[in-house]
Amino acid sequence: VSTQSTGDCEVNADNAETDATLLRKQLASLQEETGTLRKTINHLKGELDQQQRLNTALVQRNAAKNAVVSSEPSLHHHCPDPRTESQIDVLKKQHQEEIRRKNYDIKKLKEELAA
């Protein structure tokens, strides 16, 4: 034997129906959000794939360019100087003396122009 009246049952049924309607709306909202997130993920995966392909192509191009450069003879080849240290010191002193003479000549020419 039930102690609930017919009015109470109707209220409970209305509440259950309202709850069901609310749950359906929440479900629809969540499904829409899930769909949007899936589309965004797919779009981002596509962009990531494109970036990875681009990076791979750049790496390959740089590797090919470096291979070409490394196969070319070096323009800055430096052979060891066959002269002895004393010869090198003499040449450095001669060079310094030439620079001093040129600086002296420049100074004298400037003085002449100023006069």
Side-chain angles (χ1 to χ4, degrees):
V1 175
S2 171
T3 58
Q4 288 183 342
S5 68
T6 309
D8 287 341
C9 287
E10 288 176 8
V11 169
N12 286 339
D14 287 342
N15 286 342
E17 192 174 318
T18 303
D19 289 344
T21 302
L22 180 62
L23 288 173
R24 277 190 218 103
K25 287 181 182 178
Q26 287 177 346
L27 177 63
S29 174
L30 288 174
Q31 287 174 336
E32 183 180 336
E33 184 179 355
T34 302
T36 302
L37 290 173
R38 286 179 199 267
K39 286 180 185 177
T40 303
I41 287 173
N42 288 335
H43 177 71
L44 291 174
K45 279 182 182 179
E47 285 183 0
L48 178 62
D49 289 342
Q50 183 180 4
Q51 286 295 323
Q52 287 175 336
R53 286 191 304 272
L54 179 62
N55 287 341
T56 301
L58 289 173
V59 166
Q60 289 173 350
R61 185 179 75 182
N62 288 338
K65 190 184 295 184
N66 289 339
V68 169
V69 169
S70 65
S71 67
E72 293 176 357
S74 175
L75 299 177
H76 302 288
H77 179 73
H78 297 288
C79 291
D81 197 343
R83 295 174 272 208
T84 63
E85 289 293 322
S86 62
Q87 289 174 331
I88 293 173
D89 289 341
V90 168
L91 290 174
K92 284 182 181 179
K93 287 179 183 177
Q94 287 175 351
H95 183 68
Q96 288 174 352
E97 184 61 33
E98 288 176 14
I99 290 174
R100 269 192 232 114
R101 275 191 246 131
K102 287 181 181 181
N103 285 340
Y104 176 78
D105 290 342
I106 291 171
K107 180 181 173 186
K108 286 298 179 182
L109 288 172
K110 285 183 179 180
E111 288 175 1
E112 287 178 18
L113 286 174

